[in-house]
Each structure stands twice: as structure tokens, then as C-alpha cells.
Amino acid sequence: MYKIAVLPGDGIGAEVTAQAVRVLEAVGRRFNREFTFTEGLVGGAAYDAAGTPLPKDTLELCLASDAILFGAAGGPKWDSLPAHLRPEAGGILSLRKELGLFANLRPVMVFSSLENASTLKPEVVAGVDLLIVRELTGGLYFGKKFREKLPDGGVRAVDTLEYTANEIDRIVRVAFDLARKRKGKVTSVDKANVLESSRLWREVASAVGRDYPDVGLDHMYVDNCAMQLVKNPGQFDVLVTENMFGDILSDQASVLSGSLGMLASASLGGRTALYEPAHGSAPDIAGRQLANPIASILSAAMLLRFSLDMGKEAGCIEKAITDVLNLGYRTADLMEQGKTAVNTVEMADLIIERMLG
Ligand code: NAD
């Protein structure tokens, strides 16, 4: 019996998470596995119900579970709240910090039937299969930040970017361990020509690399990496980088797969790992069953593989998604001429049908 905490959150988070849960239930039926799903409040939904974006009950539920399936947090309704009560900073960022989830894994795979869905040329994106490993609990997003008034009446805002050698070492090791199970190549991304924290990053990455003689290591400046990701993404296997660079590069890399709605993620490092689509709550399409549930369903597959050691079950989900896309079914974000349009629930229905069929 595996205990899964389900935190749907806001906007399309709730719509896509419901479909990922249905897919996990189908895995249960097909492979005779038993899961229990317990819902918790998070984000704006939690603020509305309990006055805080991360209620204590939710944190306790997460700590008592084998894995967490998260939707998305945030939306215009809560944008004017103070930072600590906002769904993003007070909800998902706090949850990652509380759970010690320092490693964010974002795989970017281009399904062959979606090679034309990207804004990039099909020959550039064909065959891309890379993994971005982003440091998640340090760097600029968690450093000291403040504003102060200046004597001339102006104002100054300060954010600080700090990393310890230990924080760098542990995330780079995650990247090397994963590269060993893939194509055996790590690209460490930094801005060592300008930033002191990046110079430390590069030193530590090189030192860790000496413990993995079977894995190749390259260093790349983040600006060059941004360019290479759209010029020749096929060169990459595992990219490892600090929090903000990883945030930006992974959204950029989502273009390769055709839609943010195709990008899953896992956050590891603490006692309970968290799995979520890379996208947000998409207020522009929320409540209309227009969202692509595949990112959330692929996140559920990662949950099975990384937290429950169910590689075969995860593979069954991924194969079903490949088949459904090959058959020409598309949600609105990926729709093109000659394909069959389906909504959020219908896409999940088709995937479940292939899994059980
Ligand atoms: P977003 O990812 O929600 O949406 C960006 C664009 O992609 C939108 O046009 C949206 O319609 C589209 N999109 C996203 N997911 C899709 C899907 N599954 N299917 C089809 N189309 C999809 O980013 P945003 O608009 O910048 O942010 C909206 C809210 O979400 C904000 O409040 C933001 O802070 C929050 N957010 C939360 C998380 C999180 O919870 N981890 C991550 C990013 C943004």
C-alpha cells in the first residue's frame, strides 16, 4: 500500500492532477498495486480556506506520505497578498524548503509525433532527450532580500546570491548519478566569468567529476547554454545548474517539446519527493478543460519510477502517451491541422484506454 499526498492547488493544477490520479488508479488495476490518495490544500485554495498557503495539516500529510503529486499554485486573485501569504512563495517555495527538496529534475523529451509542434525546426528538435537538474533551495530565490530608502529620496533593492560548497556538491552528485544511468554526460552551467558563486560552482563540479571518471563533464556559461539549447539541443544529456539559471533554462527548453503542457518534473532530496508539471496554474485557460494533462501524467510516471521503484509501470504510462500522440490526438496547446482535438479529460481517457487495453 503506497500513500500518495495529492495537492491539486489552483487553476489548471486541479484539472490536470485529477487526471494524473486516474492514471495512477489505472496502474493499480493493471499491475495489481494499491495506492491511497489523500488530498491536501495548498496555494491560493489553501489561503481561501485556511488563511495560509501552506497549512500545517498539508505539511504533515506530505511528511507522512510516500510521495507527493502537486498541481500548481497561484493566480491573479492572490497577486496582491504580501509575499509570505502568496501561493507561490508561501505555498510551493515553502513546501520545497520545508521538505528539503534541493534537486529539481526536468526531463525534456521530444516525442517523434510532436517534432512539428515546436516553434523550432523539426530537424533541430528531433530525438532530443535531455534532463535539467536544477538546484532548488538556494541561490537568489532564497538569499537575503530587502529594499532601503536612499538619502537622495530614491530606493535601492537588493537580492543576494549565495551557495555553499556543500550545496553545490550534493546537487552536482545527483546530476552525475543520473548521467550514469543515461548517456553519461554532464554539462555544468554557470557564469564563472562574472560571478563568485559560479566560480565556486565550477571548482566543486570539477572536483565531483573526478569521483565519476566514467561520466564526461563540460562547463558552459549560461548565456552560451541558452543559445545552444535552441541551436543544437541534441548535444545535451544532463545539465546541472543553480536555481535561477535552471528556472529560466527549463522554461526555454520546454519549447523543444512543443508545449509547457508536456514538461514533467520531480523534486528530490528530502524524505518525501514531490512531483509536479513544470507549468503554473494557467489562469487564461483554467476551468475550461483545455489544459494538456500530459505534463502531470508524466510527473506521475516519474513518481512511480523515482519514489516507488516501479520502472515497468512508469514505462507503461509513457508508452500509452506515445501511442495516443501517434494516433493524432491533441489538446488545444498542440493542435495542428489533420489532428483530432480532445479536452483534458478525454486525453486522460485515451491514455488509460491504451494502458488497460
Ligand atoms: P503558466 O505556466 O501557468 O502559463 C503559461 C502559458 O502556458 C499560458 O498561456 C498557459 O495557458 C499555457 N499552459 C501552461 N500549462 C499548460 C497546459 N498544461 N496545457 C496547455 N497550456 C498550458 O505560467 P504563468 O501564466 O506565468 O503563471 C500563472 C500562475 O501560475 C502565476 O500565478 C504563477 O505565479 C503561477 N506559477 C506556479 C507554478 C507552480 O505552482 N509551480 C509555476 C509557474 C507559475
Side-chain angles (χ1 to χ4, degrees):
M1 170 88 85
Y2 298 99
K3 288 189 275 184
I4 300 179
V6 180
L7 313 185
D10 307 317
I12 65 164
E15 294 165 46
V16 297
T17 308
Q19 304 316 315
V21 168
R22 290 180 60 218
V23 167
L24 287 173
E25 285 167 347
V27 166
R29 289 202 291 284
R30 158 99 196 254
F31 294 92
N32 204 17
R33 303 285 197 178
E34 213 172 321
F35 305 110
T36 60
F37 300 97
T38 311
E39 273 203 23
L41 285 168
V42 75
Y47 175 78
D48 287 348
T52 164
L54 181 59
K56 211 166 131 253
D57 290 355
T58 299
L59 192 55
E60 281 166 9
L61 168 68
C62 291
L63 289 167
S65 300
D66 295 304
I68 305 157
L69 190 61
F70 183 90
K77 183 177 172 194
W78 304 283
D79 276 353
S80 51
L81 289 171
H84 69 288
L85 291 177
R86 282 188 59 157
E88 302 88 341
I92 182 65
L93 261 68
S94 300
L95 187 59
R96 288 171 183 159
K97 191 82 179 173
E98 290 285 343
L99 295 171
L101 302 173
F102 66 85
N104 185 232
L105 279 46
R106 294 190 177 194
V108 181
M109 269 177 300
V110 177
F111 288 82
S112 57
S113 54
L114 295 184
E115 282 167 9
N116 284 311
S118 173
T119 48
L120 298 175
K121 290 182 185 142
E123 62 267 29
V124 173
V125 301
V128 163
D129 178 9
L130 61 87
L131 175 66
I132 298 181
V133 178
R134 166 188 168 195
E135 202 289 327
L136 206 56
T137 53
L140 264 181
Y141 294 1
F142 289 94
K144 253 179 260 129
K145 48 189 94 244
F146 60 89
R147 283 189 194 199
E148 64 183 12
K149 288 222 165 67
L150 298 173
D152 66 1
V155 64
R156 189 166 80 108
V158 178
D159 292 288
T160 44
L161 170 45
E162 285 178 41
Y163 271 108
T164 65
N166 282 345
E167 285 173 321
I168 301 167
D169 182 284
R170 67 182 183 176
I171 187 74
V172 174
R173 278 182 199 281
V174 170
F176 273 95
D177 286 336
L178 290 163
R180 245 183 196 161
K181 298 183 200 142
R182 295 173 47 98
K183 288 172 263 172
K185 185 178 164 191
V186 170
T187 305
S188 173
V189 181
D190 61 38
K191 188 71 185 166
N193 49 345
V194 178
L195 299 176
E196 197 53 40
S197 57
S198 278
R199 283 191 271 274
L200 180 63
W201 185 282
R202 193 171 277 222
E203 274 169 45
V204 174
S206 299
V208 171
R210 289 192 278 279
D211 290 343
Y212 294 80
D214 51 323
V215 178
L217 170 65
D218 288 332
H219 300 280
M220 194 177 274
Y221 295 137
V222 63
D223 39 354
N224 182 28
C225 183
M227 191 263 281
Q228 296 294 338
L229 262 178
V230 287
K231 187 177 173 216
N232 177 18
Q235 68 185 287
F236 295 115
D237 179 20
V238 177
L239 292 125
V240 60
T241 190
E242 64 100 35
N243 202 343
M244 186 175 72
F245 296 162
D247 192 9
I248 297 168
L249 292 178
S250 56
D251 263 32
Q252 186 187 351
S254 76
V255 171
L256 306 170
S257 62
S259 166
L260 252 181
M262 294 297 296
L263 218 60
S265 85
S267 300
L268 316 176
R271 214 177 63 72
T272 315
L274 181 145
Y275 300 84
E276 60 174 319
H279 60 75
S281 59
D284 53 337
I285 57 167
R288 293 153 61 200
Q289 293 296 330
L290 284 175
N292 183 348
I294 293 180
S296 184
I297 294 171
L298 284 170
S299 304
M302 291 183 86
L303 180 156
L304 295 174
R305 184 170 280 124
F306 287 105
S307 282
L308 309 185
D309 200 19
M310 293 188 196
K312 187 163 45 102
E313 290 81 344
C316 170
I317 296 176
E318 289 155 357
K319 165 89 173 53
I321 292 171
T322 307
D323 290 349
V324 170
L325 292 172
N326 285 343
L327 287 169
Y329 294 102
R330 301 282 186 275
T331 41
D333 53 320
L334 292 169
M335 194 53 199
E336 51 179 315
Q337 224 182 357
K339 305 295 179 198
T340 310
V342 291
N343 69 21
T344 310
V345 177
E346 288 163 346
M347 177 55 88
D349 287 345
L350 287 160
I351 292 166
I352 291 168
E353 221 171 83
R354 299 295 301 180
M355 288 169 61
L356 299 178

